[in-house]
Amino acid sequence: MAMVTAVLHRGVVDSDEPILCADDLGVLRGDGVFETINVRDGRAFLLDRHLARMVNSARRMEFELPPAEELAALAERALEAWRERSAGEGALRLVATRGREHGGPPTVFATIDPVPRERTLPRRDGLRVVTASLGVDADARGRAPWLLGGVKALSYATQMAVGRWAKSQGADDALWVSADGYALEGPTSSLLWLEGDTLCTTDLSSGVLPGTTSAFLLDNAPKAGLRTAERLITAAELKRVEAAWLSSSVRGVAFITTIDGAALDQRPDITAELHKLAGFEVPS
Ligand SMILES: Cc1ncc(COP(=O)(O)O)c(C=O)c1O
C-alpha cells in the first residue's frame, strides 16, 4: 500500500480508495506520463526539473497537462501528509494519464512510498550489469518520434521485462545497447562514466531519457573539479573506462562493478564526490 495518495482536485485520499476508472487510458494503453522523485527531509529533490520533464513528455505525447503549478501543489499536498508520517527517504510518483477512453481531463495523482533499503544498497555495493540490445540504431529514435525517445511515458513493460531478463542472467540490471553498438542507459537509469577528469553522460540525440540526476551531477561536477561532456560511447569502449555509474532519482548513484561479467575499474573517490554532490545518503 502506498503510504500517501493525493488526487488532483481531491487532495489526500485513503490509499485503499479506488482513484481510476476501468476505461482510463493509462491502464488500457499505458497512455500517460509520470515522474519518480526522491524525497528527503520531507522535500521533493529537483522537483522543478521533474515537472519540466513531465510537461515536455506530455507535449511530445500530445495531451494537455494541468499547469505545472497545479502539479507542484498536488506534490506539496502529498508531501505535507508524508511529513506527518515519516522522516525517512521516500519516492514521490507524479502520474498523469490521458484520461478516460471517451474523453475528459487527464487523471492526475501523486503517491509517496518509503524507499526500501534494497533500492539504496547499490549506492554502497554497486551493480552488475548485462548489455541488452535495444534493437535499433542510436539515431533511430530521433528519426522515429513515435518511439518516444526522451519521453517518460507510463508504458514501462519493456523496461520491466529487460530488468527481469537481467536478473535471470545473474545480474542486477540491464544496460541498453543500440543495434550499432552504443551503450545508452539502464532501463530506469542514466549512464555516467569517467574519462580522465571528464564526467560524461550519453548524448540526448540518442533518444535516452534526459535524467534529472545525471543533469544535476553534470551541472555541479565542476565543484568537484571535474569537466563534463555529453557524447556517445560504444559498449566495448565502456568496458575500458576508469569508472562508470547508473544514476536515477530513487536509486541514486550506483557504480557499475561488472559489465557482462567483466570487472570494471573503480574510482571510489569520484563515487563519494557524486554522492556528496547530489546528497544521496549511502546505507551502512
Ligand atoms: C529510461 C530512464 N533513463 C534514465 C532515468 C533516470 O532519470 P532520473 O535521474 O530523472 O530519475 C530513468 C528514471 O526512471 C529512466 O526511466
Side-chain angles (χ1 to χ4, degrees):
M1 185 181 85
M3 265 190 93
V4 173
T5 305
V7 181
L8 191 70
H9 306 313
R10 278 170 65 190
V12 175
V13 298
D14 191 309
S15 289
D16 286 341
E17 195 174 308
I19 57 166
L20 289 176
C21 295
D23 65 349
D24 194 290
L25 288 164
V27 175
L28 296 181
R29 305 274 193 209
D31 192 353
V33 298
F34 77 110
E35 288 293 323
T36 307
I37 304 166
N38 188 276
V39 175
R40 77 270 288 258
D41 304 322
R43 315 186 81 81
F45 183 55
L46 304 180
L47 180 62
D48 288 351
R49 290 182 193 238
H50 283 282
L51 288 176
R53 185 170 68 186
M54 194 171 184
V55 167
N56 185 55
S57 293
R59 186 183 56 74
R60 287 277 313 282
M61 287 178 70
E62 299 174 47
F63 75 94
E64 212 162 306
L65 276 185
E69 305 78 65
E70 281 188 31
L71 298 173
L74 174 67
E76 190 45 44
R77 289 296 300 277
L79 285 162
E80 275 165 24
W82 171 259
R83 285 193 288 267
E84 284 164 18
R85 296 175 205 190
S86 170
E89 202 169 324
L92 163 64
R93 275 208 187 89
L94 271 180
V95 180
T97 80
R98 191 181 296 274
R100 299 183 65 178
E101 189 162 31
H102 302 293
T107 306
V108 184
F109 60 92
T111 62
I112 309 182
D113 278 302
V115 177
R117 179 176 159 81
E118 60 267 23
R119 292 287 301 279
T120 63
L121 282 178
R123 299 176 192 168
R124 186 192 74 184
D125 300 338
L127 292 169
R128 298 160 296 175
V129 304
V130 277
T131 53
S133 175
L134 187 65
V136 295
D137 286 349
D139 66 353
R141 293 185 287 195
R143 289 183 279 111
W146 47 87
L147 294 177
L148 296 179
V151 172
K152 198 161 167 71
L154 276 178
S155 32
Y156 257 47
T158 300
Q159 282 88 336
M160 297 299 102
V162 80
R164 286 191 297 273
W165 174 79
K167 293 208 167 63
S168 78
Q169 303 302 302
D172 302 304
D173 206 350
L175 177 66
W176 287 125
V177 175
S178 64
D180 49 353
Y182 293 102
L184 298 177
E185 63 182 342
T188 61
S189 54
S190 310
L191 175 65
L192 296 156
W193 67 96
L194 190 70
E195 290 181 15
D197 64 353
T198 304
L199 182 67
C200 307
T201 195
T202 315
D203 194 299
L204 295 182
S205 64
S206 62
V208 293
L209 189 75
T212 57
T213 316
S214 55
F216 178 84
L217 288 170
L218 259 72
D219 287 350
N220 288 281
K223 290 183 195 159
L226 295 168
R227 298 168 199 271
T228 62
E230 286 183 22
R231 51 160 294 208
L232 288 180
I233 187 166
T234 65
E237 286 169 335
L238 187 69
K239 291 175 182 172
R240 296 192 296 270
V241 296
E242 289 177 48
W245 300 267
L246 290 179
S247 70
S248 69
S249 301
V250 174
R251 182 191 278 162
V253 184
F255 52 97
I256 298 177
T257 58
T258 61
I259 302 180
D260 296 332
L264 216 65
D265 285 347
Q266 300 298 329
R267 285 291 301 268
D269 55 331
I270 304 291
T271 300
E273 286 291 352
L274 298 179
H275 286 147
K276 204 164 90 186
L277 282 178
F280 285 115
E281 205 170 290
V282 180
S284 50

PDB file of all heavy atoms in Angstrom, residues 59-94:
ATOM      1  N   ARG A  59       3.724  17.015 -23.755  1.00  0.00           N
ATOM      2  CA  ARG A  59       3.682  17.751 -25.031  1.00  0.00           C
ATOM      3  C   ARG A  59       4.051  16.818 -26.183  1.00  0.00           C
ATOM      4  O   ARG A  59       3.385  16.778 -27.198  1.00  0.00           O
ATOM      5  CB  ARG A  59       4.664  18.936 -24.954  1.00  0.00           C
ATOM      6  CG  ARG A  59       4.626  19.871 -26.149  1.00  0.00           C
ATOM      7  CD  ARG A  59       5.677  20.970 -26.047  1.00  0.00           C
ATOM      8  NE  ARG A  59       7.030  20.468 -25.882  1.00  0.00           N
ATOM      9  CZ  ARG A  59       7.761  19.914 -26.835  1.00  0.00           C
ATOM     10  NH1 ARG A  59       7.283  19.807 -28.056  1.00  0.00           N
ATOM     11  NH2 ARG A  59       8.972  19.465 -26.585  1.00  0.00           N
ATOM     12  N   ARG A  60       5.096  15.993 -25.961  1.00  0.00           N
ATOM     13  CA  ARG A  60       5.515  15.048 -27.003  1.00  0.00           C
ATOM     14  C   ARG A  60       4.425  14.001 -27.261  1.00  0.00           C
ATOM     15  O   ARG A  60       4.303  13.481 -28.367  1.00  0.00           O
ATOM     16  CB  ARG A  60       6.811  14.348 -26.577  1.00  0.00           C
ATOM     17  CG  ARG A  60       8.066  15.215 -26.624  1.00  0.00           C
ATOM     18  CD  ARG A  60       8.662  15.271 -28.028  1.00  0.00           C
ATOM     19  NE  ARG A  60       8.762  13.960 -28.625  1.00  0.00           N
ATOM     20  CZ  ARG A  60       9.702  13.050 -28.356  1.00  0.00           C
ATOM     21  NH1 ARG A  60      10.674  13.353 -27.513  1.00  0.00           N
ATOM     22  NH2 ARG A  60       9.687  11.864 -28.942  1.00  0.00           N
ATOM     23  N   MET A  61       3.613  13.689 -26.237  1.00  0.00           N
ATOM     24  CA  MET A  61       2.544  12.702 -26.420  1.00  0.00           C
ATOM     25  C   MET A  61       1.218  13.368 -26.783  1.00  0.00           C
ATOM     26  O   MET A  61       0.188  12.697 -26.877  1.00  0.00           O
ATOM     27  CB  MET A  61       2.391  11.852 -25.163  1.00  0.00           C
ATOM     28  CG  MET A  61       3.539  10.868 -25.028  1.00  0.00           C
ATOM     29  SD  MET A  61       3.461   9.885 -23.546  1.00  0.00           S
ATOM     30  CE  MET A  61       2.066   8.814 -23.878  1.00  0.00           C
ATOM     31  N   GLU A  62       1.298  14.687 -26.978  1.00  0.00           N
ATOM     32  CA  GLU A  62       0.149  15.451 -27.486  1.00  0.00           C
ATOM     33  C   GLU A  62      -1.090  15.330 -26.601  1.00  0.00           C
ATOM     34  O   GLU A  62      -2.173  15.024 -27.061  1.00  0.00           O
ATOM     35  CB  GLU A  62      -0.159  15.043 -28.935  1.00  0.00           C
ATOM     36  CG  GLU A  62       1.019  15.328 -29.865  1.00  0.00           C
ATOM     37  CD  GLU A  62       0.792  14.798 -31.267  1.00  0.00           C
ATOM     38  OE1 GLU A  62      -0.304  15.039 -31.803  1.00  0.00           O
ATOM     39  OE2 GLU A  62       1.697  14.145 -31.801  1.00  0.00           O
ATOM     40  N   PHE A  63      -0.884  15.537 -25.298  1.00  0.00           N
ATOM     41  CA  PHE A  63      -2.055  15.771 -24.456  1.00  0.00           C
ATOM     42  C   PHE A  63      -1.726  16.843 -23.434  1.00  0.00           C
ATOM     43  O   PHE A  63      -0.558  17.085 -23.112  1.00  0.00           O
ATOM     44  CB  PHE A  63      -2.616  14.479 -23.830  1.00  0.00           C
ATOM     45  CG  PHE A  63      -1.845  13.904 -22.683  1.00  0.00           C
ATOM     46  CD1 PHE A  63      -2.187  14.213 -21.369  1.00  0.00           C
ATOM     47  CD2 PHE A  63      -0.804  13.024 -22.906  1.00  0.00           C
ATOM     48  CE1 PHE A  63      -1.500  13.651 -20.298  1.00  0.00           C
ATOM     49  CE2 PHE A  63      -0.107  12.458 -21.854  1.00  0.00           C
ATOM     50  CZ  PHE A  63      -0.449  12.780 -20.545  1.00  0.00           C
ATOM     51  N   GLU A  64      -2.796  17.493 -22.970  1.00  0.00           N
ATOM     52  CA  GLU A  64      -2.590  18.675 -22.149  1.00  0.00           C
ATOM     53  C   GLU A  64      -2.600  18.327 -20.661  1.00  0.00           C
ATOM     54  O   GLU A  64      -3.575  17.752 -20.161  1.00  0.00           O
ATOM     55  CB  GLU A  64      -3.689  19.688 -22.445  1.00  0.00           C
ATOM     56  CG  GLU A  64      -3.187  21.097 -22.284  1.00  0.00           C
ATOM     57  CD  GLU A  64      -4.120  22.080 -22.989  1.00  0.00           C
ATOM     58  OE1 GLU A  64      -4.382  21.895 -24.197  1.00  0.00           O
ATOM     59  OE2 GLU A  64      -4.604  22.978 -22.298  1.00  0.00           O
ATOM     60  N   LEU A  65      -1.510  18.694 -20.014  1.00  0.00           N
ATOM     61  CA  LEU A  65      -1.437  18.505 -18.567  1.00  0.00           C
ATOM     62  C   LEU A  65      -2.027  19.724 -17.884  1.00  0.00           C
ATOM     63  O   LEU A  65      -2.021  20.810 -18.449  1.00  0.00           O
ATOM     64  CB  LEU A  65       0.030  18.449 -18.130  1.00  0.00           C
ATOM     65  CG  LEU A  65       0.821  17.168 -18.197  1.00  0.00           C
ATOM     66  CD1 LEU A  65       2.184  17.414 -17.581  1.00  0.00           C
ATOM     67  CD2 LEU A  65       0.103  16.077 -17.433  1.00  0.00           C
ATOM     68  N   PRO A  66      -2.461  19.593 -16.630  1.00  0.00           N
ATOM     69  CA  PRO A  66      -2.755  20.797 -15.855  1.00  0.00           C
ATOM     70  C   PRO A  66      -1.469  21.622 -15.737  1.00  0.00           C
ATOM     71  O   PRO A  66      -0.377  21.073 -15.907  1.00  0.00           O
ATOM     72  CB  PRO A  66      -3.166  20.252 -14.491  1.00  0.00           C
ATOM     73  CG  PRO A  66      -3.383  18.801 -14.671  1.00  0.00           C
ATOM     74  CD  PRO A  66      -2.642  18.354 -15.880  1.00  0.00           C
ATOM     75  N   PRO A  67      -1.589  22.927 -15.461  1.00  0.00           N
ATOM     76  CA  PRO A  67      -0.391  23.756 -15.346  1.00  0.00           C
ATOM     77  C   PRO A  67       0.587  23.194 -14.301  1.00  0.00           C
ATOM     78  O   PRO A  67       0.165  22.569 -13.317  1.00  0.00           O
ATOM     79  CB  PRO A  67      -0.932  25.107 -14.887  1.00  0.00           C
ATOM     80  CG  PRO A  67      -2.381  25.091 -15.161  1.00  0.00           C
ATOM     81  CD  PRO A  67      -2.814  23.661 -15.194  1.00  0.00           C
ATOM     82  N   ALA A  68       1.874  23.446 -14.542  1.00  0.00           N
ATOM     83  CA  ALA A  68       2.913  22.896 -13.658  1.00  0.00           C
ATOM     84  C   ALA A  68       2.689  23.326 -12.203  1.00  0.00           C
ATOM     85  O   ALA A  68       2.987  22.566 -11.273  1.00  0.00           O
ATOM     86  CB  ALA A  68       4.293  23.324 -14.143  1.00  0.00           C
ATOM     87  N   GLU A  69       2.109  24.540 -11.993  1.00  0.00           N
ATOM     88  CA  GLU A  69       1.874  25.000 -10.606  1.00  0.00           C
ATOM     89  C   GLU A  69       0.880  24.077  -9.905  1.00  0.00           C
ATOM     90  O   GLU A  69       0.975  23.823  -8.700  1.00  0.00           O
ATOM     91  CB  GLU A  69       1.310  26.436 -10.559  1.00  0.00           C
ATOM     92  CG  GLU A  69       2.125  27.491 -11.288  1.00  0.00           C
ATOM     93  CD  GLU A  69       1.910  27.442 -12.786  1.00  0.00           C
ATOM     94  OE1 GLU A  69       0.776  27.710 -13.228  1.00  0.00           O
ATOM     95  OE2 GLU A  69       2.871  27.127 -13.513  1.00  0.00           O
ATOM     96  N   GLU A  70      -0.131  23.585 -10.665  1.00  0.00           N
ATOM     97  CA  GLU A  70      -1.118  22.679 -10.042  1.00  0.00           C
ATOM     98  C   GLU A  70      -0.480  21.343  -9.701  1.00  0.00           C
ATOM     99  O   GLU A  70      -0.797  20.720  -8.679  1.00  0.00           O
ATOM    100  CB  GLU A  70      -2.310  22.454 -10.981  1.00  0.00           C
ATOM    101  CG  GLU A  70      -3.285  23.599 -10.966  1.00  0.00           C
ATOM    102  CD  GLU A  70      -4.562  23.281 -11.737  1.00  0.00           C
ATOM    103  OE1 GLU A  70      -4.991  22.107 -11.790  1.00  0.00           O
ATOM    104  OE2 GLU A  70      -5.115  24.234 -12.303  1.00  0.00           O
ATOM    105  N   LEU A  71       0.439  20.906 -10.573  1.00  0.00           N
ATOM    106  CA  LEU A  71       1.138  19.640 -10.289  1.00  0.00           C
ATOM    107  C   LEU A  71       2.017  19.805  -9.053  1.00  0.00           C
ATOM    108  O   LEU A  71       2.094  18.920  -8.200  1.00  0.00           O
ATOM    109  CB  LEU A  71       1.986  19.223 -11.494  1.00  0.00           C
ATOM    110  CG  LEU A  71       1.216  18.954 -12.785  1.00  0.00           C
ATOM    111  CD1 LEU A  71       2.190  18.730 -13.941  1.00  0.00           C
ATOM    112  CD2 LEU A  71       0.301  17.743 -12.632  1.00  0.00           C
ATOM    113  N   ALA A  72       2.674  20.973  -8.970  1.00  0.00           N
ATOM    114  CA  ALA A  72       3.544  21.237  -7.809  1.00  0.00           C
ATOM    115  C   ALA A  72       2.705  21.291  -6.530  1.00  0.00           C
ATOM    116  O   ALA A  72       3.119  20.781  -5.479  1.00  0.00           O
ATOM    117  CB  ALA A  72       4.312  22.539  -8.015  1.00  0.00           C
ATOM    118  N   ALA A  73       1.506  21.895  -6.624  1.00  0.00           N
ATOM    119  CA  ALA A  73       0.643  21.988  -5.438  1.00  0.00           C
ATOM    120  C   ALA A  73       0.169  20.596  -5.019  1.00  0.00           C
ATOM    121  O   ALA A  73       0.091  20.286  -3.820  1.00  0.00           O
ATOM    122  CB  ALA A  73      -0.547  22.898  -5.728  1.00  0.00           C
ATOM    123  N   LEU A  74      -0.121  19.745  -5.991  1.00  0.00           N
ATOM    124  CA  LEU A  74      -0.525  18.366  -5.685  1.00  0.00           C
ATOM    125  C   LEU A  74       0.618  17.636  -4.975  1.00  0.00           C
ATOM    126  O   LEU A  74       0.408  16.947  -3.959  1.00  0.00           O
ATOM    127  CB  LEU A  74      -0.895  17.639  -6.986  1.00  0.00           C
ATOM    128  CG  LEU A  74      -1.209  16.151  -6.849  1.00  0.00           C
ATOM    129  CD1 LEU A  74      -2.499  15.934  -6.056  1.00  0.00           C
ATOM    130  CD2 LEU A  74      -1.322  15.487  -8.224  1.00  0.00           C
ATOM    131  N   ALA A  75       1.838  17.809  -5.503  1.00  0.00           N
ATOM    132  CA  ALA A  75       3.003  17.174  -4.873  1.00  0.00           C
ATOM    133  C   ALA A  75       3.141  17.673  -3.443  1.00  0.00           C
ATOM    134  O   ALA A  75       3.400  16.894  -2.515  1.00  0.00           O
ATOM    135  CB  ALA A  75       4.269  17.476  -5.679  1.00  0.00           C
ATOM    136  N   GLU A  76       2.925  18.966  -3.236  1.00  0.00           N
ATOM    137  CA  GLU A  76       3.078  19.538  -1.889  1.00  0.00           C
ATOM    138  C   GLU A  76       2.023  18.993  -0.930  1.00  0.00           C
ATOM    139  O   GLU A  76       2.315  18.709   0.229  1.00  0.00           O
ATOM    140  CB  GLU A  76       3.033  21.077  -1.967  1.00  0.00           C
ATOM    141  CG  GLU A  76       3.424  21.787  -0.680  1.00  0.00           C
ATOM    142  CD  GLU A  76       4.689  21.231   0.019  1.00  0.00           C
ATOM    143  OE1 GLU A  76       5.689  20.952  -0.662  1.00  0.00           O
ATOM    144  OE2 GLU A  76       4.645  21.052   1.248  1.00  0.00           O
ATOM    145  N   ARG A  77       0.785  18.774  -1.429  1.00  0.00           N
ATOM    146  CA  ARG A  77      -0.254  18.176  -0.569  1.00  0.00           C
ATOM    147  C   ARG A  77       0.194  16.797  -0.093  1.00  0.00           C
ATOM    148  O   ARG A  77       0.038  16.435   1.081  1.00  0.00           O
ATOM    149  CB  ARG A  77      -1.595  18.000  -1.336  1.00  0.00           C
ATOM    150  CG  ARG A  77      -2.325  19.289  -1.644  1.00  0.00           C
ATOM    151  CD  ARG A  77      -2.779  20.018  -0.391  1.00  0.00           C
ATOM    152  NE  ARG A  77      -3.708  19.225   0.444  1.00  0.00           N
ATOM    153  CZ  ARG A  77      -5.005  19.125   0.252  1.00  0.00           C
ATOM    154  NH1 ARG A  77      -5.575  19.779  -0.743  1.00  0.00           N
ATOM    155  NH2 ARG A  77      -5.761  18.409   1.044  1.00  0.00           N
ATOM    156  N   ALA A  78       0.736  16.019  -1.045  1.00  0.00           N
ATOM    157  CA  ALA A  78       1.200  14.676  -0.685  1.00  0.00           C
ATOM    158  C   ALA A  78       2.378  14.767   0.287  1.00  0.00           C
ATOM    159  O   ALA A  78       2.450  14.007   1.262  1.00  0.00           O
ATOM    160  CB  ALA A  78       1.601  13.911  -1.947  1.00  0.00           C
ATOM    161  N   LEU A  79       3.276  15.722   0.063  1.00  0.00           N
ATOM    162  CA  LEU A  79       4.452  15.863   0.932  1.00  0.00           C
ATOM    163  C   LEU A  79       4.064  16.259   2.352  1.00  0.00           C
ATOM    164  O   LEU A  79       4.658  15.783   3.327  1.00  0.00           O
ATOM    165  CB  LEU A  79       5.422  16.892   0.339  1.00  0.00           C
ATOM    166  CG  LEU A  79       6.227  16.387  -0.873  1.00  0.00           C
ATOM    167  CD1 LEU A  79       6.814  17.567  -1.653  1.00  0.00           C
ATOM    168  CD2 LEU A  79       7.328  15.435  -0.437  1.00  0.00           C
ATOM    169  N   GLU A  80       3.040  17.135   2.457  1.00  0.00           N
ATOM    170  CA  GLU A  80       2.569  17.526   3.806  1.00  0.00           C
ATOM    171  C   GLU A  80       2.147  16.286   4.585  1.00  0.00           C
ATOM    172  O   GLU A  80       2.514  16.099   5.750  1.00  0.00           O
ATOM    173  CB  GLU A  80       1.352  18.448   3.692  1.00  0.00           C
ATOM    174  CG  GLU A  80       1.677  19.912   3.507  1.00  0.00           C
ATOM    175  CD  GLU A  80       0.441  20.679   3.033  1.00  0.00           C
ATOM    176  OE1 GLU A  80      -0.704  20.224   3.278  1.00  0.00           O
ATOM    177  OE2 GLU A  80       0.643  21.732   2.391  1.00  0.00           O
ATOM    178  N   ALA A  81       1.358  15.423   3.913  1.00  0.00           N
ATOM    179  CA  ALA A  81       0.886  14.203   4.588  1.00  0.00           C
ATOM    180  C   ALA A  81       2.062  13.282   4.902  1.00  0.00           C
ATOM    181  O   ALA A  81       2.104  12.644   5.959  1.00  0.00           O
ATOM    182  CB  ALA A  81      -0.141  13.484   3.708  1.00  0.00           C
ATOM    183  N   TRP A  82       3.016  13.219   3.977  1.00  0.00           N
ATOM    184  CA  TRP A  82       4.199  12.364   4.187  1.00  0.00           C
ATOM    185  C   TRP A  82       4.988  12.815   5.410  1.00  0.00           C
ATOM    186  O   TRP A  82       5.415  11.998   6.227  1.00  0.00           O
ATOM    187  CB  TRP A  82       5.064  12.412   2.926  1.00  0.00           C
ATOM    188  CG  TRP A  82       6.401  11.768   3.053  1.00  0.00           C
ATOM    189  CD1 TRP A  82       7.605  12.393   3.239  1.00  0.00           C
ATOM    190  CD2 TRP A  82       6.693  10.370   3.011  1.00  0.00           C
ATOM    191  NE1 TRP A  82       8.615  11.479   3.313  1.00  0.00           N
ATOM    192  CE2 TRP A  82       8.087  10.226   3.175  1.00  0.00           C
ATOM    193  CE3 TRP A  82       5.913   9.221   2.857  1.00  0.00           C
ATOM    194  CZ2 TRP A  82       8.717   8.977   3.187  1.00  0.00           C
ATOM    195  CZ3 TRP A  82       6.540   7.988   2.857  1.00  0.00           C
ATOM    196  CH2 TRP A  82       7.921   7.874   3.029  1.00  0.00           C
ATOM    197  N   ARG A  83       5.167  14.132   5.528  1.00  0.00           N
ATOM    198  CA  ARG A  83       5.967  14.664   6.653  1.00  0.00           C
ATOM    199  C   ARG A  83       5.339  14.293   7.990  1.00  0.00           C
ATOM    200  O   ARG A  83       6.033  14.093   8.976  1.00  0.00           O
ATOM    201  CB  ARG A  83       6.113  16.188   6.525  1.00  0.00           C
ATOM    202  CG  ARG A  83       7.096  16.603   5.440  1.00  0.00           C
ATOM    203  CD  ARG A  83       7.449  18.068   5.544  1.00  0.00           C
ATOM    204  NE  ARG A  83       6.371  18.946   5.141  1.00  0.00           N
ATOM    205  CZ  ARG A  83       6.214  19.436   3.905  1.00  0.00           C
ATOM    206  NH1 ARG A  83       7.078  19.135   2.949  1.00  0.00           N
ATOM    207  NH2 ARG A  83       5.208  20.235   3.620  1.00  0.00           N
ATOM    208  N   GLU A  84       3.990  14.173   8.012  1.00  0.00           N
ATOM    209  CA  GLU A  84       3.334  13.777   9.269  1.00  0.00           C
ATOM    210  C   GLU A  84       3.597  12.313   9.598  1.00  0.00           C
ATOM    211  O   GLU A  84       3.483  11.898  10.742  1.00  0.00           O
ATOM    212  CB  GLU A  84       1.818  13.978   9.148  1.00  0.00           C
ATOM    213  CG  GLU A  84       1.424  15.439   9.253  1.00  0.00           C
ATOM    214  CD  GLU A  84      -0.006  15.662   8.755  1.00  0.00           C
ATOM    215  OE1 GLU A  84      -0.771  14.681   8.658  1.00  0.00           O
ATOM    216  OE2 GLU A  84      -0.315  16.837   8.456  1.00  0.00           O
ATOM    217  N   ARG A  85       3.927  11.525   8.557  1.00  0.00           N
ATOM    218  CA  ARG A  85       4.047  10.076   8.778  1.00  0.00           C
ATOM    219  C   ARG A  85       5.477   9.572   8.812  1.00  0.00           C
ATOM    220  O   ARG A  85       5.737   8.523   9.387  1.00  0.00           O
ATOM    221  CB  ARG A  85       3.309   9.320   7.655  1.00  0.00           C
ATOM    222  CG  ARG A  85       1.836   9.596   7.665  1.00  0.00           C
ATOM    223  CD  ARG A  85       1.147   8.955   6.497  1.00  0.00           C
ATOM    224  NE  ARG A  85      -0.079   9.684   6.195  1.00  0.00           N
ATOM    225  CZ  ARG A  85      -1.000   9.285   5.355  1.00  0.00           C
ATOM    226  NH1 ARG A  85      -0.840   8.151   4.703  1.00  0.00           N
ATOM    227  NH2 ARG A  85      -2.069   9.999   5.133  1.00  0.00           N
ATOM    228  N   SER A  86       6.382  10.263   8.141  1.00  0.00           N
ATOM    229  CA  SER A  86       7.733   9.699   8.016  1.00  0.00           C
ATOM    230  C   SER A  86       8.771  10.793   7.858  1.00  0.00           C
ATOM    231  O   SER A  86       8.516  11.830   7.239  1.00  0.00           O
ATOM    232  CB  SER A  86       7.784   8.784   6.793  1.00  0.00           C
ATOM    233  OG  SER A  86       9.116   8.407   6.522  1.00  0.00           O
ATOM    234  N   ALA A  87       9.956  10.519   8.423  1.00  0.00           N
ATOM    235  CA  ALA A  87      11.083  11.425   8.220  1.00  0.00           C
ATOM    236  C   ALA A  87      12.099  10.780   7.288  1.00  0.00           C
ATOM    237  O   ALA A  87      13.147  11.336   7.011  1.00  0.00           O
ATOM    238  CB  ALA A  87      11.739  11.740   9.562  1.00  0.00           C
ATOM    239  N   GLY A  88      11.765   9.576   6.807  1.00  0.00           N
ATOM    240  CA  GLY A  88      12.736   8.818   6.011  1.00  0.00           C
ATOM    241  C   GLY A  88      12.721   9.197   4.535  1.00  0.00           C
ATOM    242  O   GLY A  88      11.974  10.069   4.102  1.00  0.00           O
ATOM    243  N   GLU A  89      13.556   8.476   3.781  1.00  0.00           N
ATOM    244  CA  GLU A  89      13.644   8.737   2.343  1.00  0.00           C
ATOM    245  C   GLU A  89      12.402   8.164   1.653  1.00  0.00           C
ATOM    246  O   GLU A  89      11.953   7.065   1.976  1.00  0.00           O
ATOM    247  CB  GLU A  89      14.924   8.062   1.819  1.00  0.00           C
ATOM    248  CG  GLU A  89      15.427   8.666   0.527  1.00  0.00           C
ATOM    249  CD  GLU A  89      16.831   8.176   0.158  1.00  0.00           C
ATOM    250  OE1 GLU A  89      17.680   7.971   1.063  1.00  0.00           O
ATOM    251  OE2 GLU A  89      17.064   8.020  -1.043  1.00  0.00           O
ATOM    252  N   GLY A  90      11.852   8.903   0.706  1.00  0.00           N
ATOM    253  CA  GLY A  90      10.650   8.459   0.018  1.00  0.00           C
ATOM    254  C   GLY A  90      10.777   8.575  -1.488  1.00  0.00           C
ATOM    255  O   GLY A  90      11.690   9.211  -2.009  1.00  0.00           O
ATOM    256  N   ALA A  91       9.835   7.922  -2.175  1.00  0.00           N
ATOM    257  CA  ALA A  91       9.755   8.027  -3.639  1.00  0.00           C
ATOM    258  C   ALA A  91       8.393   8.612  -3.977  1.00  0.00           C
ATOM    259  O   ALA A  91       7.358   7.985  -3.709  1.00  0.00           O
ATOM    260  CB  ALA A  91       9.918   6.655  -4.277  1.00  0.00           C
ATOM    261  N   LEU A  92       8.420   9.825  -4.508  1.00  0.00           N
ATOM    262  CA  LEU A  92       7.181  10.507  -4.911  1.00  0.00           C
ATOM    263  C   LEU A  92       6.935  10.214  -6.379  1.00  0.00           C
ATOM    264  O   LEU A  92       7.799  10.482  -7.216  1.00  0.00           O
ATOM    265  CB  LEU A  92       7.357  12.023  -4.701  1.00  0.00           C
ATOM    266  CG  LEU A  92       6.386  12.976  -5.390  1.00  0.00           C
ATOM    267  CD1 LEU A  92       4.965  12.801  -4.896  1.00  0.00           C
ATOM    268  CD2 LEU A  92       6.834  14.424  -5.176  1.00  0.00           C
ATOM    269  N   ARG A  93       5.774   9.621  -6.669  1.00  0.00           N
ATOM    270  CA  ARG A  93       5.396   9.420  -8.072  1.00  0.00           C
ATOM    271  C   ARG A  93       4.337  10.444  -8.433  1.00  0.00           C
ATOM    272  O   ARG A  93       3.349  10.591  -7.727  1.00  0.00           O
ATOM    273  CB  ARG A  93       4.769   8.042  -8.276  1.00  0.00           C
ATOM    274  CG  ARG A  93       5.743   6.962  -8.497  1.00  0.00           C
ATOM    275  CD  ARG A  93       5.100   5.851  -9.347  1.00  0.00           C
ATOM    276  NE  ARG A  93       6.016   4.733  -9.405  1.00  0.00           N
ATOM    277  CZ  ARG A  93       6.040   3.743  -8.522  1.00  0.00           C
ATOM    278  NH1 ARG A  93       5.185   3.706  -7.541  1.00  0.00           N
ATOM    279  NH2 ARG A  93       6.912   2.774  -8.640  1.00  0.00           N
ATOM    280  N   LEU A  94       4.555  11.134  -9.545  1.00  0.00           N
ATOM    281  CA  LEU A  94       3.530  12.004 -10.100  1.00  0.00           C
ATOM    282  C   LEU A  94       3.075  11.344 -11.396  1.00  0.00           C
ATOM    283  O   LEU A  94       3.912  11.052 -12.258  1.00  0.00           O
ATOM    284  CB  LEU A  94       4.121  13.374 -10.439  1.00  0.00           C
ATOM    285  CG  LEU A  94       4.135  14.446  -9.371  1.00  0.00           C
ATOM    286  CD1 LEU A  94       4.762  15.713  -9.933  1.00  0.00           C
ATOM    287  CD2 LEU A  94       2.713  14.748  -8.881  1.00  0.00           C
TER     288      LEU A  94
END
